[in-house]
Amino acid sequence: MAKTFDVVIIGAGAAGLMCAATAGYRGRRVLVIDHAPRPGRKILMSGGGRCNFTNLNSTPANFLSDNPHFCISALKRYTPQDFLELVDRHGIEHEEKAAGQLFCRDSARSILDMLLTECEWAGSEIRLKTSVESVNLSANTYRVKTSGGEVECSSLVVATGGLSIPTMGATGFGYNLARQFGLDVRPTRAGLVPFTLTPELKQQLSPLAGISCPVEVSCNGEHFREPMLVTHRGLSGPAMLQISSFWQPGDPVAIDLLPGQQALEALNQLKQEHPTLTLERYLARTLPRRFARAFAELQGWDRPLQGYRKADLEAAAHTLSAWTLTPAGTEGYRTAEVTLGGVDTRQLSSKTMAANDVPGLFFIGEVVDVTGHLGGHNFQWAWASGVAAGNIA
Ligand SMILES: Cc1cc2nc3c(=O)[nH]c(=O)nc-3n(C[C@H](O)[C@H](O)[C@H](O)COP(=O)(O)OP(=O)(O)OC[C@H]3O[C@@H](n4cnc5c(N)ncnc54)[C@H](O)[C@@H]3O)c2cc1C
């Protein structure tokens, strides 16, 4: 005999747990199913183990989607302040790192524990190590065949996340289920992911590996002023992760190593005032010394400024303000923080996350074609979309 629930949620991640607590508090009988041995594993590894759980400055402009207005309603109804109140009620200490980015002071574990406690208080059941074998809908009832037996429900919430970090249990299950019920899936690709470089470029940049410096990076009309990190594999750090979500194979990225400065003006003035200064010494005023040395070497900038003609100075200024590289690719889903694309939002209600044409079917969190910038926005979407569905499912 199939056991009956009001709501079955597939995926015990950020969005699924938030939805489970919300629906459970409404008195709904809720079951959460996850094939992983533990819930919320991405929460635990997020924000370097301290979970950047929201961003106080989050607005719809911080999200990418083929249908950019879709996220507005849910984000408005459940705000960063709402989540912060929940965090405070549980006495979780937190701190603001960069502007608006809230992190746990101790460990991401406290956010996961908070969600599990909320689910327990709300009476929602969680079954782990349980995989879904099939889903069928008839007479407004979903029959979900799992490795642990069959369950029935009137509301089925898909919260299986995206494809990033397959070793953490990521699958394309949610996309396949969407297709099974006639919904479209926007093409997916890795986002918030480090760039890889051609072997030649990697070798050239190897002296810079391990160095982080503040830059402004741009690509396809988008730009971010954040730190960049050169690694042994390529380019990473917040600046590169952010711009990777806007990058397509073959696109060049331009890196301003002196953001906020007029490089040519500065170099002309410097040449007049300090003609014996080298560009390396100049760069070391704003960039890490090791980076300045290696970058000047890479560019062959070994003479004092007095040896530079007008055209040389112009070329150097251009290199400093728009150092242009074409990445070979990205590290892909293996290390990506998010998956761009996903279930097409045109077929979902922006208020409830319910499929317009399939009764009782909901999609929440990263499986949906809504992807945040780096900095706590992705969790804010998971919370907000989870609450939107939990209030109605
Ligand atoms: C390394 C890393 C760091 C990050 N740091 C941050 C951060 O600090 N701030 C931020 O805002 N965002 C961060 N993110 C992004 C954030 O983790 C995700 O956007 C968020 O977890 C998405 O929530 P979700 O519930 O939709 O999916 P997930 O949290 O991925 O949960 C999906 C769940 O579904 C389960 N599942 C998948 N397929 C199946 C299946 N077939 N059957 C049953 N269960 C299934 C999975 O096991 C998983 O438990 C980070 C991501 C990574 C990878």
Side-chain angles (χ1 to χ4, degrees):
M1 268 287 282
K3 193 167 174 201
T4 302
F5 292 86
D6 296 316
V7 185
V8 169
I9 300 168
I10 308 175
L17 293 175
M18 196 67 182
C19 182
T22 309
Y25 280 129
R26 288 175 43 240
R28 305 285 278 164
R29 290 164 301 164
V30 180
L31 172 68
V32 187
I33 295 170
D34 203 299
H35 64 170
R38 287 184 301 280
R41 290 203 291 180
K42 272 196 192 160
I43 298 175
L44 294 180
M45 73 191 298
S46 68
R50 295 207 293 130
C51 187
N52 179 192
F53 55 80
T54 193
N55 190 310
L56 295 174
N57 304 324
S58 199
T59 73
N62 296 110
F63 294 85
L64 289 86
S65 171
D66 199 45
N67 181 16
H69 295 299
F70 177 81
C71 63
I72 296 174
S73 173
L75 291 170
K76 232 188 210 164
R77 286 150 177 258
Y78 192 83
T79 64
Q81 208 56 45
D82 291 326
F83 192 74
L84 185 55
E85 275 168 25
L86 179 63
V87 167
D88 285 339
R89 272 207 303 285
H90 282 257
I92 297 170
E93 293 207 51
H94 48 82
E95 61 192 7
E96 188 171 344
K97 271 201 176 174
Q101 297 180 9
L102 298 188
F103 286 75
C104 297
R105 187 158 285 163
D106 297 325
S107 159
R109 159 71 51 191
S110 49
I111 295 292
L112 178 57
D113 286 347
M114 175 190 83
L115 293 168
L116 295 174
T117 302
E118 288 285 320
C119 284
E120 197 185 323
W121 289 346
S124 300
E125 186 185 328
I126 300 173
R127 283 189 202 163
L128 301 169
K129 293 189 195 162
T130 304
S131 53
V132 176
E133 285 155 9
S134 66
V135 176
N136 289 296
L137 171 66
S138 74
N140 288 346
T141 299
Y142 289 91
R143 294 181 80 82
V144 183
K145 216 184 224 176
T146 79
S147 52
E150 200 164 272
V151 289
E152 283 183 357
C153 58
S154 51
S155 294
L156 182 68
V157 183
V158 183
T160 45
L163 294 169
S164 45
I165 324 270
T167 49
M168 287 283 122
T171 66
F173 177 90
Y175 309 129
N176 294 336
L177 198 84
R179 289 189 192 101
Q180 179 189 334
F181 285 98
L183 279 80
D184 292 331
V185 177
R186 304 293 311 156
T188 56
R189 65 192 166 89
L192 301 181
V193 61
F195 286 119
T196 55
L197 301 171
T198 59
E200 192 191 2
L201 202 52
K202 197 158 66 174
Q203 198 187 348
Q204 276 176 10
L205 299 191
S206 62
L208 305 176
I211 311 177
S212 167
C213 54
V215 301
E216 181 163 316
V217 63
S218 21
C219 179
N220 290 324
E222 296 291 334
H223 51 95
F224 293 92
R225 193 183 285 191
E226 303 239 30
M228 166 184 81
L229 174 69
V230 184
T231 72
H232 287 290
R233 290 200 296 263
L235 297 176
S236 187
M240 294 301 145
L241 298 184
Q242 295 277 33
I243 209 72
S244 72
S245 294
F246 298 88
W247 181 84
Q248 297 285 352
D251 288 342
V253 297
I255 303 165
D256 185 348
L257 292 167
L258 302 173
Q261 295 185 43
Q262 296 298 328
L264 184 57
E265 246 172 59
L267 291 185
N268 277 326
Q269 195 181 345
L270 209 68
K271 185 181 168 187
Q272 274 185 5
E273 291 171 5
H274 306 281
T276 57
L277 197 76
T278 59
L279 272 174
E280 176 191 328
R281 293 265 306 279
Y282 166 60
L283 287 182
R285 290 178 178 182
T286 45
L287 294 169
R289 193 177 293 265
R290 222 180 106 216
F291 187 95
R293 186 179 320 131
F295 193 76
E297 245 176 63
L298 188 67
Q299 302 298 332
W301 292 338
D302 49 2
R303 296 159 292 149
L305 279 163
Q306 62 197 4
Y308 283 71
R309 289 164 307 155
K310 187 167 173 276
D312 300 331
L313 273 192
E314 280 169 4
H318 184 262
T319 301
L320 289 172
S321 56
W323 180 37
T324 302
L325 308 169
T326 301
T330 71
E331 290 185 6
Y333 293 122
R334 188 178 64 79
T335 61
E337 285 201 11
V338 288
T339 301
L340 294 149
V343 176
D344 193 340
T345 59
R346 289 179 188 86
Q347 292 154 312
L348 303 178
S349 154
S350 63
K351 286 200 180 116
T352 65
M353 306 293 128
N356 294 331
D357 299 326
V358 190
L361 183 63
F362 297 78
F363 291 86
I364 58 173
E366 202 179 313
V367 73
V368 176
D369 174 28
V370 173
T371 308
H373 291 174
L374 190 77
H377 305 284
N378 284 296
F379 278 133
Q380 188 54 38
W381 171 248
W383 317 137
S385 58
V387 168
N391 273 329
I392 196 95

